[in-house]
Amino acid sequence: MPAAGALLAALLAGAAQGHDEGLRTQVEQKIRLSATLVGDRATAQRIAASGHVQALAHLDEGRVHQSHAEDLLARGDYAGARQAADEALRNLGMARRLVPDGTLRLAAARARHEQQLASVERLVDAWRARGGDGQSLTDLAGLLGQARAAAQEQRWDEAQQRLAQAERLLLEGLSRTLGSTTLDYTLRPSTPAEEFRQELARQRGFAELLPLALRDLRPRPEAVTLVERYSETSQTLRSQALQRFEQGATEEALVHIRSATLYLQRALQAAGLVVPPPNGNPP
């Protein structure tokens, strides 16, 4: 009996030691990751230059937790070090999300510009069809041309200003020409095939934004796992949609491509990027 008790004690001690070693390795990995984020001078300078109060507070808080985590690890308090490292990563991630780098901002600016430009162009076409004023249409064409030129050079503020001028000119012309008549310029596809191509382009736009979000927002490992799962599901659904479309089953193809887009929206949300809320609830 004494020998059995000693053996059991030895086994328990070995298990505890193995657990501690595993926990230490996990904590060291987290601390190395948070240290990398803290030492990213370019990101720190970007956040400091932004003047964003909340981002700066999260950055400072992350540094404090990072230092605390390193101290607890040195003292052998692995559980406390892990908690401090998690807090450091959370705060550093929040700071980066509040002040994304220029690439991501440019992608968002381009998306907003393209959406507003398409809206104005549809409104111009609708007004032209109703006999809009010739000189005003000429002025509008000039403003839209200036907006496109500014966008090509990534002068997004100027491009948005030209589009805003075009919208004001359109509203003035519409008030003169149409009076109280309601003008509907919503983009509606004329055929299911055209609708499928529009949905396919929409899905592709989200797919192009995803790697930028992963690179610049640097979500936590568990979030990356979720992003990858959603992205893989989206790609599978997109392939199925293309297959159904080629087979002539356009309605089924539309269902698949819309679902593919929903999964990409969920992936972007998991990465930390704010996107329009998806319709439906994919698992």
Side-chain angles (χ1 to χ4, degrees):
M1 290 297 292
L7 178 60
L8 178 59
L11 290 174
L12 291 174
Q17 183 178 3
H19 173 73
D20 287 345
E21 288 300 322
L23 182 57
R24 179 185 177 88
T25 301
Q26 182 186 56
V27 172
E28 288 176 341
Q29 290 174 346
K30 287 190 175 184
I31 289 178
R32 282 198 296 270
L33 176 58
S34 57
T36 300
L37 297 179
V38 168
D40 189 344
R41 294 182 59 186
T43 299
Q45 290 173 357
R46 185 177 76 243
I47 294 173
S50 73
H52 197 297
V53 177
Q54 287 182 315
L56 288 168
H58 280 299
L59 181 61
D60 290 339
E61 189 75 9
R63 288 169 173 164
V64 170
H65 284 294
Q66 167 69 17
S67 177
H68 188 46
E70 293 174 350
D71 181 58
L72 290 173
L73 177 64
R75 288 189 283 165
D77 185 353
Y78 303 144
R82 178 174 60 183
Q83 183 177 0
D86 286 339
E87 281 299 306
L89 289 170
R90 185 182 68 82
N91 280 279
L92 293 168
M94 285 295 299
R96 298 170 72 89
R97 291 171 192 172
L98 289 170
V99 188
D101 79 355
T103 304
L104 195 57
R105 289 200 301 272
L106 287 177
R110 181 174 64 250
R112 287 195 300 270
H113 168 78
E114 292 176 351
Q115 183 179 18
Q116 187 175 359
L117 177 62
S119 176
V120 173
E121 288 177 335
R122 291 196 298 271
L123 189 53
V124 169
D125 291 340
W127 189 29
R128 182 182 291 111
R130 290 174 177 257
D133 179 81
Q135 183 57 48
S136 295
L137 288 172
T138 302
D139 294 340
L140 283 169
L143 288 170
L144 293 180
Q146 293 172 20
R148 294 190 190 93
Q152 287 179 351
E153 298 178 3
Q154 296 188 355
R155 291 181 282 114
W156 302 111
D157 289 341
E158 181 180 343
Q160 293 303 101
Q161 290 174 3
R162 296 294 174 267
L163 289 178
Q165 291 175 346
E167 286 183 336
R168 287 195 295 270
L169 184 60
L170 275 167
L171 291 175
E172 293 172 358
L174 288 169
S175 64
R176 293 193 306 269
T177 305
L178 302 175
S180 61
T181 303
T182 300
L183 180 64
D184 183 3
Y185 60 96
T186 303
L187 179 62
R188 293 187 177 89
S190 57
T191 65
E194 182 180 347
E195 183 177 4
F196 175 79
R197 285 189 287 270
Q198 291 175 3
E199 291 291 338
L200 186 65
R202 182 166 172 261
Q203 190 267 351
R204 184 166 55 248
F206 282 119
E208 292 172 352
L209 191 57
L210 185 57
L212 294 176
L214 286 172
R215 188 194 68 187
D216 299 328
L217 299 180
R218 296 186 181 182
R220 298 171 67 174
E222 56 268 29
V224 172
T225 300
L226 191 60
V227 168
E228 291 174 348
R229 180 161 66 87
Y230 282 143
S231 180
E232 290 173 1
T233 302
S234 178
Q235 290 300 317
T236 300
L237 288 166
R238 183 179 185 275
S239 299
Q240 293 174 354
L242 290 170
Q243 184 179 14
R244 297 294 189 277
F245 184 71
E246 292 174 356
Q247 294 171 350
T250 307
E251 293 298 331
E252 292 183 28
L254 280 168
V255 172
H256 286 303
I257 195 62
R258 286 170 183 153
S259 296
T261 300
L262 291 179
Y263 274 100
L264 276 180
Q265 288 177 306
R266 288 294 178 88
L268 287 166
Q269 288 177 329
L273 185 67
V274 178
V275 295
N279 298 319
N281 296 292

